[in-house]
Structures are given as C-alpha cells and as structure tokens.
Amino acid sequence: MGDELRPEHDLRQLLQGGVRGKYAKRYRAGTNLVPLDPDVRRVFRSEKSVNEALRLVIELRKIGTGRARAN
C-alpha cells in the first residue's frame, strides 16, 4: 500500500515540537462526556434537554426515597 500523503504534508515537520498530552489535565478536569445511545439521541437533541431530564430524574428519586430537596 502506497503513501497517500502529499509531499507538502510532511508530518515529521508538522508535528515537530509538539507536546504529548499538553491539554490532557485540563481536558480531564473540565469534561464529563457520556455517549448516548442512538434512540436516546433521537429524543434528546440538545445538551439542555439532557440536563433537564436528568434533573427531573434526580428530583423524582428524592421524592421516592423521602429525602428533602437539596439546593
């Protein structure tokens, strides 16, 4: 299989001086990604709708366990 990169796309030159994991700590600290299954994605099309639904689930669990509402 031949190399499909053009000569002007020399990765050795493009990646020279790069720092592995430069943003890894910042990424882990501020990101909490949860992949959604396709059927869930069809219903909850935005971050806002997912958060609202999860907050409702939290409140319903509190009612079910008889715990006071925490704010």
Side-chain angles (χ1 to χ4, degrees):
M1 183 179 239
D3 188 357
E4 296 179 12
L5 288 177
R6 295 180 179 176
E8 63 266 25
H9 296 150
D10 182 3
L11 291 180
R12 289 175 299 222
Q13 183 181 11
L14 291 171
L15 298 176
Q16 187 176 15
V19 178
R20 183 181 176 99
K22 181 176 181 178
Y23 299 103
K25 185 176 178 180
R26 189 183 318 174
Y27 174 80
R28 281 193 303 271
T31 304
N32 184 12
L33 298 176
V34 178
L36 300 177
D37 290 336
D39 59 326
V40 177
R41 275 195 306 267
R42 282 191 291 275
V43 176
F44 299 101
R45 297 184 178 262
S46 70
E47 182 178 332
K48 181 180 177 183
S49 65
V50 172
N51 285 319
E52 288 174 352
L54 290 174
R55 285 185 186 103
L56 177 61
V57 170
I58 292 167
E59 292 301 316
L60 291 172
R61 287 187 57 170
K62 289 176 187 176
I63 292 169
T65 60
R67 287 191 288 167
R69 186 175 183 176
N71 282 332

